[in-house]
């Protein structure tokens, strides 16, 4: 099962990325991301400090599935969404969209999320990049005219 986590960073707008989001089995909106995208989701999660107005229309888009946290907490809203997704036994892939851009501290935190565990493929995706952790052998396909970078992480 693929879970798309739409974070509140820079909105993804390319056809390639939007197709990937819509092809997910579940879509989680993180806080203010629900204001940026206009499609149905499974869940709205966060402290709601970035939601313009939690109207009935927004609540209906997630079938009233809302998990609200206090503003003072030990995790970012995106990290809380990832932890929630990891509780789903069937989850095989978690893709974080919009997790880069506007706030560097959140971007850096989202990079750290890729190191959480290795049983589920996790990626950080925006319109220009797809970032993921490789913990074993990996075959890159369809890489003609693509830029590929490697960074060691421990």
């Amino acid at each position: 099962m693929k879970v798309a986590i739409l974070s509140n960073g820079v909105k993804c707008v390319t056809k390639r990325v939007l197709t990937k989001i819509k092809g997910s089995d579940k879509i989680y909106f993180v806080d203010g991301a629900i204001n940026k995208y206009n499609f149905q989701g499974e869940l709205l999660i966060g402290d709601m400090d970035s939601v313009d107005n939690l109207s009935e229309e927004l609540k209906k888009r997630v079938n009233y599935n809302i998990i609200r946290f206090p503003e003072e907490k030990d995790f970012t809203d995106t990290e809380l969404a990832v932890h929630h997704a990891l509780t789903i036994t069937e989850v095989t892939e978690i893709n974080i969209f919009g997790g880069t851009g506007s706030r560097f501290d959140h971007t850096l935190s989202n990079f750290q999320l890729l190191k959480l565990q290795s049983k589920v493929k996790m990626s950080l995706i925006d319109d220009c990049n797809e970032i993921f952790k490789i913990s074993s052998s990996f075959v890159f396909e369809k890489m003609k005219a693509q830029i590929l970078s490697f960074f060691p992480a421990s």
Side-chain angles (χ1 to χ4, degrees):
M1 173 182 296
K2 293 181 184 179
V3 177
I5 295 177
L6 307 185
S7 196
N8 196 27
V10 174
K11 180 181 178 181
C12 298
V13 295
T14 62
K15 183 178 179 182
R16 174 188 69 84
V17 174
L18 292 175
T19 300
K20 200 167 200 137
I21 293 170
K22 291 176 183 174
S24 301
D25 300 300
K26 293 183 181 286
I27 298 174
Y28 292 178
F29 294 102
V30 175
D31 208 326
I34 196 162
N35 296 314
K36 296 181 179 184
Y37 298 92
N38 193 23
F39 38 79
Q40 290 294 118
E42 185 84 21
L43 176 71
L44 171 60
I45 189 168
D47 57 22
M48 307 306 151
D49 66 338
S50 301
V51 176
D52 294 338
N53 175 16
L54 194 52
S55 65
E56 282 300 304
E57 178 190 337
L58 293 181
K59 292 176 185 177
K60 284 179 186 176
R61 285 190 23 224
V62 292
N63 296 317
Y64 297 89
N65 292 321
I66 300 168
I67 302 175
R68 183 186 294 253
F69 288 89
E71 286 188 38
E72 299 268 332
K73 55 192 180 306
D74 293 331
F75 303 101
T76 67
D77 292 335
T78 301
E79 188 170 357
L80 292 168
V82 168
H83 286 295
H84 189 274
L86 289 170
T87 65
I88 302 168
T89 12
E90 309 87 28
V91 71
T92 57
E93 187 174 326
I94 298 172
N95 294 308
I96 302 169
F97 299 91
T100 60
S102 56
R103 287 190 50 185
F104 188 72
D105 58 332
H106 283 228
T107 300
L108 199 55
S109 174
N110 292 335
F111 280 114
Q112 295 295 326
L113 289 175
L114 299 178
K115 296 184 347 180
L116 271 181
Q117 48 69 52
S118 60
K119 293 181 179 140
V120 174
K121 180 185 180 213
M122 196 169 341
S123 298
L124 187 58
I125 301 171
D126 62 26
D127 285 339
C128 298
N129 305 287
E130 187 163 341
I131 303 156
F132 53 93
K133 174 182 151 184
I134 299 172
S135 54
S136 61
S137 63
F138 192 86
V139 176
F140 292 93
E141 297 175 7
K142 300 179 186 176
M143 292 297 298
K144 186 175 181 179
Q146 298 289 314
I147 297 172
L148 180 65
S149 300
F150 294 96
F151 295 94
S154 58

